[in-house]
Amino acid sequence: QVQLVESGGGLVQAGGSLRLSCAASGSIFSINDMGWYRQAPGKQRELVATITASSSTNYEDSVKGRFTIFRDNAKNTVYLQMNSLKPEDTAVYYCNADVYGLGPRAEYWGQGTQVTVSS
């Protein structure tokens, strides 16, 4: 069994910063891609950023230059540093991981953490 636990969400004013963390735990041999997604009220979940095991990254266009995804493989943790936050970044943020564990390779999701940016 693998669990992803997110932390770091909260309320921040526009222009501010937050850092999200997501720690994977359980029966893990290795983790391939990790990523952050978000879902705003009334909208579909969308990709924010992904990072491979070798730390190649990919970003959604609206966050490029403001958000940075990075990971600590020794801690099975992925981070999302969010700077210059805008009200349109308000959403529930979910982490995602492609995990090789005791069972078959599988994709896991965290429970989500709320990020609210006030104008």
Side-chain angles (χ1 to χ4, degrees):
Q1 186 74 8
V2 174
Q3 289 185 324
L4 302 183
V5 178
E6 297 132 337
S7 60
L11 173 65
V12 64
Q13 289 188 330
S17 298
L18 284 174
R19 178 178 291 186
L20 306 182
S21 301
C22 173
S25 63
S27 301
I28 298 171
F29 288 144
S30 64
I31 302 177
N32 193 13
D33 292 357
M34 302 184 83
W36 289 95
Y37 293 72
R38 65 187 179 187
Q39 187 167 17
K43 295 187 177 181
Q44 290 188 329
R45 189 174 298 189
E46 65 174 2
L47 170 72
V48 177
T50 60
I51 185 168
T52 68
S54 58
S55 294
S56 294
T57 59
N58 178 59
Y59 295 93
E60 193 270 328
D61 284 346
S62 70
V63 308
K64 286 180 180 177
R66 300 189 298 123
F67 291 9
T68 302
I69 188 171
F70 58 101
R71 63 193 284 173
D72 183 335
N73 290 332
K75 296 181 179 180
N76 289 332
T77 299
V78 63
Y79 304 90
L80 185 68
Q81 177 66 42
M82 305 185 293
N83 299 329
S84 302
L85 282 160
K86 304 175 181 181
E88 52 264 44
D89 294 318
T90 295
V92 177
Y93 284 70
Y94 298 90
C95 71
N96 172 273
D98 180 16
V99 178
Y100 294 88
L102 286 180
R105 173 182 173 182
E107 185 177 29
Y108 293 89
W109 291 88
Q111 80 285 357
T113 186
Q114 177 71 46
V115 171
T116 303
V117 185
S118 63
S119 57

